[in-house]
Structure formats: C-alpha cells, structure tokens
Amino acid sequence: MALKDLCRSIVGTFRVREDQPELVRAQVKALSRQIPLLYILLFANAVALAFTHYGTAPDWMTVYIPAVLGIVCLIRGLAWMRLRDTANDFASAVLHLRRIRILAAVISVVFTAWAIKMFGYGDAYQQGHVAYFISITVVGCIFCLLHFPPAALLVVIIVLGSFILHFGSTGNEVYVAIAANMAMVSLMIVQIIRSYYAAFSGLVESQIDLEKQHTKTIELSNQNRELAFRDALTGLSNRRAFFSHLDEAVARAKDGGRFAVAMIDLDGFKPVNDVHGHPAGDDVLVKASARLRDILGPDVLLARLGGDEFGVILDDITDAAELIRIGRELCGTLNDPFEVGGGTVQLSASLGFATYPAVARKPNALFERADFALYYAKKNMPGHPVLFAAHHETLIRHDSQIEQALRKADLESELSIHYQPVFDLHSGKLHSIEVLARWDNDKMGRVSPEMFFPVAEKTGQVGTLSTILFQKALKSMIAWPQDVPLSFNLSARDIVLPDMAHWLIDQIKFFGIDPGRLTFEVTETALLRDFVSARASIRYLRRHGAKVALDDFGIGYSSLRYVHELEFDCLKIDRSFIEPIVTSERSQRIVKTVIDMCDNLGTDCVIEGIETPEQRDQVLRLGGRLAQGYFFARPSASIDWDALPNVADRDWTETPSDVRQVDAKS
C-alpha cells in the first residue's frame, strides 16, 4: 500500500495540475519570462563548448550541431516571449506545459548526448570543460524551470543522471569524485525544486484567496452601495439616490436638455398607521409604489423620499399638458381603494411638478419648487397635480419676505390678539370667547394669520408666536368675569411637543386662572402629523382640567376615530358646511348628523361661519346651539362687556353689510 502511494505521488509530481487553473496560468506566465533565458543560456554555453573543441572534434559536432541547436533555441525562445500575451487562456496554458515537459526531456537528452560525445575528444582541459558545461548548464536550466517541477525534475534525472553514470564509470578518481559530489548536489537540487514549488504554489493560492476576498469586498461594497441607494421597504430608489440622479440630470441637461421633477404625497396615509397599524401602512406603501411603477415604467427614476412621499424624475418631458395628464393618471391610480387586512382603505394623492430649465436650473431649487407645487396642491387642490408656475414664484418670494420679517420683528410688540364671541342660540347669552392672532408689521402692514402661521411652522418660529399670544390671552383673562371661558388655537407643532403642553398648564397656574376656563383648539392636520404625540399632549391638558376642541371638523380623513379615542370636549363644524346650508340638503344632513352625534356623546358642538340670518335659522332648525360668525360679531381688539348683553339679547334680524369679508383665525 505504501509503495502504491509512493508511486502515485511520483507520478503526480510529473503531471500538469489541471485541477488548479490559476496555478497553471501562473506557471506559464512565469515560464514565459524564464524559458527565453534558458535558451539563451543553452546556446551561449553550447557555443563556448564548441569553440574549445573546434579543430579537435569533427566539424559536424562543433559547427553544424551547435548551429542547429542555436536555431531551435532561437525559435523556441521567441515563441515563449510571444506567449506572455496568451498566458491567461487556460486550455492554451495546459498545452504549453505539456509541450515544455516533453521538450525538457528531448533537449536534455540531445544536449547531454552531444556534450558526452564531445568528452571523447581533446585533452584533460577540454574534458574538464565538458564536465563544467554539463554541471553549470543543468543548474541554470533547473533554476529557469523551478516554477514547473515536472520539467525541472526531468532535467535533473536525465542530465545529472547521465552525468553521474558517465563520469562515475570513467575510472578516473577525480571524475568519480565529481560524480559522487554531483549525486549529492542532485538530491539538494530536488529538495530545492520541491521547496520552491511549494512556496510558489502557496503564493499563488494566497493570491487567489486575496483576489477572492477582493472580489467579495467589491461585491459587498456594491451591495452596500445598492442598499445605501435603495429603499428597504418598497425596493424603490431612496432619498439619497433621488438627489444623486437629480444632480446627474441637471449636469446632462446643461447643453439644452429638459426634464421634470415630480413630488407625490399620499393624502390621509397617517390614519392608516394609526387605525390599522404600521404593517398595514407598510403594505399600502408597497402597493402604492407598485401602482406608480406600473404607470411610469421601469426606466423612470421613482424614489421613496420618506414616509408617504415619493419623487419622480421624468426625462425629456416638460410639456404642461403631458405632465398634467401623467399627474392625473398617477393621482388617479392612488385614489383606488387599497386592500388592507381583509378590508379596504381609501386614500388620495397630491402632486407637484417643476420643470428644468423653465423654473430653476439648480437641483435644490428644482426640488424646492416641486415641493412647493405639492404643498400648494395639498392646500388648494388636494388629489390633483399642480405645475409650478410664475404666480407660485411670487408666493415663494412673499413667503420669504414673511419669513425674514418674522425673524427681524419685535413680535412682543407687533403681535396682538383679537376676540370673537361664541353665543348660545337657545338662550342668546355669551358662551365663550375665541382668541385670534393679529400681526402688524412696520414694513408689511397687517399680515393675515393664514399667511404668516404656515411660514412660522415651516421655519420653526411658531412656538415663539404661540407663547407670546398665549401669555397675552392669559393677561387679558385676569380682568374678565370669572365665568367667561376662552378658546385658544394650537398649531400642529404645538400639540405634538410634550414640553409645550407642560408649559401651557404651568402658565395657567402662574396666572392663577382656572384651567376649566381654557379650551385649546386643534385641527385634524395637527393630529395627522404625529397622532401618538398629539394624543399624549391632549390627554395631559385634559388631565389637568383644560378642555380640548377639534377645530374644522369634517374636512379631514379620520374625524370619527379621533372623536372616539381622544374624547374631545367640543367639535367645531367647519364653515365650508355652513356656507351652502340654506340651499344644500347634503350640507344640512351632514350638520344635523354631527349635531346629533355630539348630543349623544355629551360633547359641545360649535357651528362656525354663520354670516346671515337664514344660516342661523337653518342651524337652529337642525338643533344647533352654539355658534359664532360675522352675523353675531366681528373679531375685535377689545371686548365691550357692557355691549355684549345687548348683542346677545337683540333679535339678529339684520345682516351686517360686511359679513362677507373673511377674517381668518390663527
């Protein structure tokens, strides 16, 4: 068994390692550099030996044979030099190794036979040159073939074996000693070949491992890059990828190109998370992404920018009609119901477009204008696409002026509060007073709350406005009759900040006012922003005795859910339902439904925006009790407590001439 293994090992030593392609390629690449040197060495040493034996040995041995051998060496050397360019071809590399294995044996036999034949001619010096030729040539050739042990070992066996046999059998003590010495050297050379080859093959394996690791590193880097630019939930591009593509689109379009940027936002998505849970919300986002992709196709850049907001880059499309058509199709597909947990949810979508280079030439400016168009759509045309236009630029500049004016304003002196009473239609008495914000700026004059509060929210200044206005309201309450309540509007930012709720209660206590006299009005928009935080703030305010009202009831998306979970003390029906109430049966049914619901829940119901006696009479017929509007009293900078009973007791049969003027609340 041991002998069989030994034979298998010896045979394996002389075979080409076709099971290791990289090793084979490395061997051929190394040999392509070394073998040309081997042939130069052979030719140079052969010429030297022929020269020393010229005239002593026959010409066919000193001239013709060296000439033939030189031609062969030249041809093979050039062939191996050209081989450097094809060394990476595995099949070709295997073929060359097989050839060099055969040629090594053939050349070893030819040169050794020629040299030993020369040994029979000449004196002792010339014979010594033969011994020197064989020994120095074989050592040089072996070192040139170290990268391929089969060829190197064949040279050792054939050349040195012949050398040892020939010189050991001469009977000359010197040559016998040389033969014995060469036998020892042969063993050392064999060991050198084995050690070098082991180191070489190990180096190749290490290089292969390094290349594999490098490849894995590149793959991981590409995967990480893909993940860094991919939204994990929807599989779409993410915010980083969107802005990267936007930069590239601008760079490409500088030479006359055109494209459009679209911003899409789902209207009413937040309640899906609140009512059905975040897994259902994620499912809706995935389905919404698929719908958008089906319309836009695979080649259009579609990205999820965060939450329920998406971005689109449309190359070579700037025609307004075409963009609006695409926008309507995108909004329309998102209007279709979504299947969620065995039920359905109904959403809508708003969309804003900005085109390059018509509205902006820089990436950030394009994005901001598309975002403003989206904001304008959500505010004025929900569920529809809006293309950024010149008048939007005017609005942006106006908002920018408001922002700068707010930053420079002495808000403590410029902000003021107005009061609008709420009356009990059944008794005619004053029920409460709502505080409204006013801002009079030296440069801009009076600015409507509808204009400066959204800007203040965007720029983070709304908290400062709220604190100033609330303190002014509390100071004014000190002089009021103790039984008159006050309503104060909280912004979307105010209601989601726990510190703000704590500060409000602390201020009420500081001024020594009964918290039960305070009602804080919040809108559904505020609840949509962060329901969990808003719920915590509302519960904190109610726990400390204050009341909370849901303002603009009926224009949001999940009002009944809010009423059920948050237990509001009051609902305020939005003025949009009151304006057509005299002639619209639908408005009458809606208002009647809300009034009856509040009665059943024991919740106050305030009807806003009553401007005519017909509207008041219709509200009374529907069972409404609490109301406010220009028909009763306009907002005023001061309260005439003596006049209020007269206002409450009068018949209200005449409509003020200016009731149609709209005075927005804070």
Side-chain angles (χ1 to χ4, degrees), residues 287 291 332-340 343-347:
K287 291 176 178 176
R291 292 183 186 182
T333 191
L334 297 176
N335 284 338
D336 295 335
F338 290 88
E339 297 289 335
V340 174
T344 61
V345 295
Q346 184 79 45
L347 303 178

Side-chain angles (χ1 to χ4, degrees), residues 347-519:
L347 303 178
S348 62
S350 299
L351 187 149
F353 284 112
T355 57
Y356 178 97
V359 302
R361 293 178 176 271
K362 294 183 179 180
N364 287 341
L366 270 173
F367 176 79
E368 289 173 358
R369 280 152 179 77
D371 192 49
F372 184 87
L374 171 64
Y375 165 77
Y376 186 89
K378 291 179 72 69
K379 184 177 179 182
N380 301 282
M381 301 172 60
H384 293 83
V386 169
L387 182 63
F388 189 92
H391 71 280
H392 295 138
E393 193 70 49
T394 302
L395 293 175
I396 288 179
R397 286 197 295 269
H398 189 248
D399 284 354
S400 178
Q401 292 173 352
I402 292 175
E403 178 185 349
Q404 295 303 318
L406 280 172
R407 294 188 185 282
K408 298 177 182 179
D410 180 4
L411 295 176
E412 187 68 42
S413 62
E414 294 182 15
L415 286 175
S416 62
I417 54 177
H418 278 45
Y419 310 93
Q420 186 175 30
V422 177
F423 290 100
D424 187 325
L425 297 180
H426 293 175
S427 66
K429 293 182 179 180
L430 174 70
H431 175 267
S432 61
I433 293 177
E434 182 177 4
V435 172
L436 305 173
R438 296 294 181 267
W439 179 35
D440 295 285
N441 183 259
D442 292 340
K443 293 184 178 179
M444 302 190 68
R446 172 157 290 187
V447 185
S448 167
E450 279 190 340
M451 299 178 70
F452 72 79
F453 261 98
V455 174
E457 287 228 35
K458 285 184 179 179
T459 58
Q461 295 171 280
V462 70
T464 302
L465 272 62
S466 296
T467 56
I468 293 173
L469 292 168
F470 189 63
Q471 287 180 330
K472 288 179 180 289
L474 291 179
K475 290 176 183 177
S476 68
M477 283 188 73
I478 295 175
W480 290 9
Q482 294 297 311
D483 60 342
V484 178
L486 175 142
S487 295
F488 185 84
N489 292 276
L490 292 178
S491 72
R493 179 184 177 277
D494 294 333
I495 197 62
V496 299
L497 294 178
D499 291 345
M500 187 62 177
H502 295 161
W503 182 85
L504 292 170
I505 296 299
D506 290 343
Q507 288 296 303
I508 293 171
K509 293 178 179 178
F510 176 79
F511 282 95
I513 296 173
D514 178 9
R517 294 175 60 194
L518 272 295
T519 298

Side-chain angles (χ1 to χ4, degrees), residues 601-645:
L601 295 174
T603 301
D604 286 340
C605 180
V606 175
I607 293 91
E608 298 182 293
I610 295 180
E611 299 181 352
T612 69
E614 291 81 13
Q615 291 173 340
R616 179 209 55 187
D617 294 342
Q618 189 62 256
V619 168
L620 276 169
R621 281 193 292 270
L622 296 173
R625 183 173 66 89
L626 303 178
Q628 71 180 118
Y630 282 7
F631 175 73
F632 308 108
R634 291 176 58 82
S636 174
S638 61
I639 303 175
D640 188 345
W641 296 103
D642 295 331
L644 276 177

Side-chain angles (χ1 to χ4, degrees), residues 118-168:
M118 293 279 269
F119 186 79
Y121 298 93
D123 55 21
Y125 291 106
Q126 290 170 314
Q127 291 177 338
H129 189 190
V130 172
Y132 174 79
F133 166 80
I134 294 175
S135 59
I136 195 65
T137 302
V138 74
V139 171
C141 290
I142 288 170
F143 277 106
C144 288
L145 295 170
L146 278 176
H147 298 93
F148 187 45
L153 290 174
L154 283 173
V155 171
V156 171
I157 293 170
I158 294 172
V159 178
L160 293 184
S162 301
F163 182 95
I164 293 168
L165 290 174
H166 176 74
F167 285 95

